[in-house]
Amino acid sequence: VTRCAYVNGRYVPHADAAVHIEDRGYQFADGVYEVIALRRGRLLDEEAHMARLDRSLAELEIAPAMSHAALGLVMRELVRRNRLGDGNLYLQMTRGVAPRDHGFPAGVETSLVLTARRAKPQPQALVEQGVAVVTMPDIRWGRCDIKSIALLPNVLGKQAARAAGAYEAWLVDRDGHVTEGTSSNAWIVTAAGRLVTRKTGNDILAGVTRRSLIALLGEQGLALEERPFTVAEAKAAREALLTSTTSAVLAVTRIDGAKVGGGRPGKLFGALRRIYLDYADGAGASG
Ligand code: PDD
């Protein structure tokens, strides 16, 4: 099948999909996005992604391009046309096309772009060995709760991680606490066996994977502390983890070159990954 994208009302061949050069997404990164996992063709945590999308749009006063119901149909049609099983769906809304001027334009329509692609199975080595992260200052803006397409600090952070042979960069605030990864949320397990992740607020994205995992913890009767942790605490932790739509749950076994938990994925990681994937392959995904 020819890969297909959705651009402002049309399904088009991916190779020909284009937006106008004066789209405010291109000119100002004036837009928001979501990445939704596809499991056997079904959308994982669709409602939570739609709720976060609504919130991002509202915070930026961007009008939704269409209703949830309509968007649901478009997303499913795109999955169908691309004959996708396991993959990821990318959705972007921007303030629209207008002559370049910083202030909001009047009478424009929100731009909507959707792409989808197959995901290769996650390399078993990442699961079995865990991943390395490097830490660096969090140089982002004050509204990281908005899933904005302005991702330059995240891009630079990820590239620095790759250059260092690491999978992810953990961003550190001025107090020395980890905020989150460049495209994932950060967690540790303390010596006492307690799971810790930062509270949601303006300084991190409220991850949908984070949210689902927390709900599952509750069902398992596992305790969670929502609070900041320092890089030193993470390095000394029994286990460390990261979560995101595209990585699910992975163990972090090295931080700035230092081994965490003996350098092997821990027990709690194993349990959490299993619980999460069971959910993702079952109740979490919607037709
Ligand atoms: N990133 N924090 C940041 C800064 C992110 O960009 C992401 C997701 C997350 C995890 O959120 P979720 O669990 O909802 O995927 C946390 C997506 C996958 C991306 O930009 O590709």
Side-chain angles (χ1 to χ4, degrees):
V1 294
T2 308
R3 195 175 167 206
C4 170
Y6 178 90
V7 184
N8 293 323
R10 289 197 178 84
Y11 297 93
V12 292
H14 191 273
D16 304 330
V19 294
H20 195 274
I21 55 167
E22 283 201 303
D23 191 285
R24 290 178 63 93
Y26 185 67
Q27 294 289 340
F28 297 114
D30 187 358
V32 303
Y33 76 107
E34 286 293 330
V35 182
I36 305 177
L38 301 168
R39 297 263 166 178
R40 280 179 275 116
R42 301 191 308 161
L43 299 156
L44 178 58
D45 286 328
E46 179 182 5
E47 272 184 44
H49 282 285
M50 290 300 112
R52 186 171 68 187
L53 174 65
D54 281 351
R55 184 176 178 282
S56 295
L57 289 167
E59 291 298 312
L60 299 180
E61 297 177 46
I62 296 174
M66 56 175 68
S67 68
H68 282 182
L71 198 50
L73 293 176
V74 171
M75 290 192 291
R76 282 164 179 78
E77 178 62 12
L78 191 68
V79 171
R80 193 189 67 76
R81 287 183 184 231
N82 286 289
R83 305 215 207 297
L84 286 170
D86 290 347
N88 292 295
L89 186 145
Y90 179 89
L91 180 167
Q92 174 174 312
M93 288 190 197
T94 75
R95 202 179 304 277
V97 176
R100 190 176 185 282
D101 176 68
H102 287 65
F104 294 176
V108 291
E109 272 179 41
T110 300
S111 296
L112 172 59
V113 167
L114 292 164
T115 59
R117 73 173 169 204
R118 187 170 337 113
K120 296 193 191 85
Q122 206 166 29
Q124 216 31 49
L126 293 183
V127 179
E128 284 166 11
Q129 287 154 36
V131 299
V133 304
V134 290
T135 64
M136 58 191 65
D138 191 341
I139 59 168
R140 298 175 303 163
W141 71 327
R143 291 303 307 274
C144 296
D145 56 314
I146 298 170
K147 199 162 174 58
S148 145
I149 59 172
L151 290 170
L152 205 37
N154 310 60
V155 165
L156 296 177
K158 188 76 90 187
Q159 188 54 34
R162 296 220 172 123
Y167 182 81
E168 177 64 299
W170 276 6
L171 308 175
V172 181
D173 69 15
R174 268 176 282 181
D175 302 328
H177 293 113
V178 174
T179 52
E180 61 183 331
T182 67
S183 63
S184 58
N185 288 111
W187 310 63
I188 57 168
V189 179
T190 66
R194 291 178 73 84
L195 196 55
V196 180
T197 195
R198 194 177 177 110
K199 209 166 21 60
T200 57
N202 290 350
D203 38 20
I204 66 167
L205 184 75
V208 169
T209 316
R210 174 191 182 283
R211 180 182 186 276
S212 294
L213 193 59
I214 289 174
L216 294 165
L217 292 179
E219 293 171 17
Q220 300 285 322
L222 289 166
L224 173 72
E225 285 178 32
E226 288 186 87
R227 62 160 174 88
F229 56 84
T230 63
V231 174
E233 190 180 5
K235 284 181 181 170
R238 182 190 284 183
E239 299 184 36
L241 321 170
L242 61 80
T243 58
S244 79
T245 294
T246 46
S247 294
V249 185
L250 287 175
V252 171
T253 47
R254 267 172 202 276
I255 302 175
D256 294 334
K259 284 180 185 173
V260 180
R264 305 288 308 163
K267 282 218 176 64
L268 193 52
F269 159 73
L272 294 178
R273 183 171 167 95
R274 210 169 321 112
I275 291 165
Y276 180 75
L277 292 184
D278 281 353
Y279 163 78
D281 289 326
S286 52

